[in-house]
Amino acid sequence: VLVLQAAWALAGGQVRYSVPEEAKGGTVVGRLAQDLGLEAGEAEARRLRLVAQGRRASVEVSGASGALVVSSRLDREELCGKSAPCALRLEVLVERPLRVFHVELEVTDINDNAPIFPAARKNLSIAEWTTLPGSRFPLEGASDADIGANAQLSYTLSPSEHFSLDLQKTEEDGESLFLVLTKSLDRETIPVHRLVLTASDGGRPSLTGTMELVISVLDVNDNAPQFNQSVYKVQLPENAERGTLVTRVTATDMDEGSNSNISYSLQILSPQDGRDVFRIDRNSGEIRLTGDLDFEDVGLYRLQMDATDKGTPPLSGHCKLLVEVLDVNDNAPEVWVTSLSVPVPEDASVGTVVALLSVSDRDSGANGRVRCWVWPASPFGLEATFAGSYSLVLREALDRERVSEYEVEVRAEDGGAPSLRGRRGVRVPVSDVNDNAPAFAQAVYTVLARENNAAGAELARLWARDPDEAGNGRVSYSVWEGGVGGGWRPASSYVSFEVRAVDAGEPPLCGNATVQ
């Protein structure tokens, strides 16, 4: 398998690559480290890596080379379904300094799915003589999980002097496939016609699927039911409850008696897994909701209504129902911390990146537009780095001796009515730096001492406070023996001397006091 880097561009921190689905593990997608401007060896030294964002990316950064390679099976249909293009948005981190890059990986389609019909065989009943040439009978077309040319289907019918195919395409209701009667039928000559319908996709090489058509030639009833509309259109909000009336379809039959008694049925044309969402009353033609709608999963249902009379043989009329699902604000924004760099030193400069966050909302339009902020507002703020990506940055100077830890909350609110909110708490501890010198409670201490004290006798106890942590706040003491007037003499010869307190920080800081 040859997998070539289709294109890449670094602009505003974003790199783009392309790879075909089903590429073998170890296939090089692109020279990520080089495309990001990293020198040789920097990829490993600065810990170049991908940031996980919920679903498996199927690619990874390869060791010291910094190449982006395929790590597991890439199935475009599993990742993106029928969506095109299939673009995976990845985040790449490097450290020292911390920096984020955005990589867009397009998984291109290969022709690995053959067309599939909803059933292996379809039975049709067509009356002899009374069914005129030119009569049309709707067929369920095949589906292909691929996209683009690989999913463009064409149909052929096994040779027959009585039947042909007609494929119609409209922007409004998509493709419609019909079996067309080209010559009147004679049951006594051929009672059953068996044909093979073949669907071929546009891939190279092309893949095919087949369905057998079994056409029984019958007599009698010469008027099929007719709907008063060829296409019904309905809109339903995605939070419509089960039992909601979708619409009512009506068909009439010009025959009399049992030949004009009609029963209704429906079938889902697309999507194929929507068969349990709707139900039709066979007698009244009322269609009601029997399942849950979700705009984020399916935005449009295409149904076929059949009206069949009770004649001998029964005849059917057909129409289509298009049900558009309307979005409601039923998904709250989600906030995820993708990277956290803590603790933050108290001397960190304004603008330091503390955390990287990802914000998303599954709704669409205004319901999916999200605004974010930090609470409380200081000393941190949010900066948007990319669509749905934010950096939590330092906006004010820190002081560990005043506040040693912050509990901040990143809040997100969508534009729905009413709006929904999401939040994510972030704990930010502040680490100590040696920014406080030891300090005595007094600048001058006066001590009363008796003469003739023995060596080692205690004169006084002094204490200096250092609010820093650990070694930065650990104090040692000494007598400073600098002489007055430029000379050096033993401290014991003085009635006034200095005591110095020094911490263990790097560099050390000191304070002093005079003892008289």
Side-chain angles (χ1 to χ4, degrees), residues 503-515:
D503 63 26
E506 288 292 340
L509 301 178
C510 66
N512 53 53
T514 300
V515 178

Side-chain angles (χ1 to χ4, degrees), residues 49-83:
R49 64 190 187 276
L50 293 179
V51 177
Q53 288 188 316
R55 67 180 181 181
R56 177 171 55 87
S58 298
V59 292
E60 62 184 10
V61 177
S62 176
S65 70
L68 188 65
V69 299
V70 175
S71 61
S72 59
R73 180 172 178 259
L74 280 168
D75 188 340
R76 192 205 63 77
E77 289 74 30
E78 179 183 343
L79 292 170
C80 299
K82 297 291 286 185
S83 299

Side-chain angles (χ1 to χ4, degrees), residues 182-495:
T182 57
K183 182 180 179 181
S184 296
L185 301 176
D186 184 353
R187 187 191 63 82
E188 289 72 25
T189 304
I190 304 176
V192 177
H193 295 259
R194 296 183 180 273
L195 306 175
V196 176
L197 176 61
T198 302
S200 303
D201 64 26
R204 293 189 178 181
S206 177
L207 301 179
T208 61
T210 60
M211 179 172 68
E212 182 185 23
L213 301 179
V214 180
I215 303 150
S216 300
V217 183
L218 304 174
D219 287 326
V220 192
N221 198 9
D222 60 349
N223 286 290
Q226 297 291 323
F227 285 94
N228 54 11
Q229 292 178 225
S230 61
V231 178
Y232 291 81
K233 297 180 181 178
V234 178
Q235 292 181 329
L236 285 178
E238 62 174 323
N239 61 352
E241 296 182 354
R242 296 187 181 189
T244 298
L245 177 64
V246 178
T247 190
R248 180 175 180 173
V249 295
T250 303
T252 57
D253 192 312
M254 297 181 63
D255 293 321
E256 292 182 340
S258 62
N259 291 336
S260 64
N261 292 336
I262 296 173
S263 63
Y264 298 93
S265 61
L266 66 79
Q267 54 185 315
I268 305 294
L269 298 180
S270 66
Q272 292 293 326
D273 57 356
R275 298 182 182 275
D276 298 326
V277 180
F278 303 96
R279 178 182 57 82
I280 190 169
D281 187 292
R282 297 182 61 85
N283 297 316
S284 67
E286 286 187 349
I287 302 167
R288 293 189 179 272
L289 195 62
T290 56
D292 297 326
L293 301 177
D294 191 341
F295 172 84
E296 287 73 35
D297 290 336
V298 180
L300 179 68
Y301 289 89
R302 296 175 62 242
L303 294 79
Q304 178 176 296
M305 306 293 108
D306 296 327
T308 305
D309 63 28
K310 296 181 180 180
T312 303
L315 298 179
S316 299
H318 319 279
C319 72
K320 285 186 178 179
L321 171 62
L322 305 180
V323 180
E324 180 183 0
V325 182
L326 304 179
D327 185 38
V328 297
N329 194 24
D330 59 345
N331 290 282
E334 293 182 314
V335 182
W336 302 96
V337 178
T338 59
S339 181
L340 183 62
S341 183
V342 293
V344 180
E346 62 178 323
D347 63 347
S349 59
V350 172
T352 296
V353 176
V354 177
L356 301 176
L357 304 108
S358 176
V359 181
S360 61
D361 191 311
R362 294 185 65 216
D363 292 318
S364 63
N367 295 334
R369 286 196 292 270
V370 179
R371 68 181 187 92
C372 300
W373 69 95
V374 175
W375 185 90
S378 62
F380 303 98
L382 281 182
E383 290 183 358
T385 58
F386 198 68
S389 297
Y390 295 85
S391 295
L392 181 67
V393 299
L394 190 61
R395 290 281 173 82
E396 300 175 7
L398 301 175
D399 186 356
R400 189 205 62 81
E401 288 71 34
R402 184 173 61 87
V403 180
S404 62
E405 186 176 281
Y406 292 87
E407 291 286 348
V408 299
E409 195 172 78
V410 179
R411 297 180 174 181
E413 181 181 67
D414 62 28
S419 62
L420 299 178
R421 288 186 176 185
R423 61 188 66 195
R424 179 70 61 179
V426 181
R427 186 179 69 86
V428 183
V430 181
S431 61
D432 186 57
V433 297
N434 194 25
D435 59 348
N436 291 280
F440 289 92
Q442 301 172 213
V444 178
Y445 291 82
T446 301
V447 178
L448 297 177
R450 293 179 181 275
E451 65 178 352
N452 299 322
N453 273 346
E458 180 175 302
L459 297 177
R461 291 196 180 192
L462 308 184
W463 178 72
R465 180 180 179 274
D466 191 320
D468 291 322
E469 272 189 328
N472 295 334
R474 189 168 59 249
V475 178
S476 60
Y477 301 87
S478 63
V479 174
W480 186 58
E481 297 186 349
V484 178
W488 291 84
R489 292 186 298 179
S492 58
S493 66
Y494 287 89
V495 294

Side-chain angles (χ1 to χ4, degrees), residues 109-128:
D109 186 53
I110 65 172
N111 193 26
D112 59 343
N113 291 280
I116 299 176
F117 285 92
R121 184 174 71 177
K122 182 175 180 63
N123 296 315
L124 296 172
S125 297
I126 303 177
E128 63 173 336

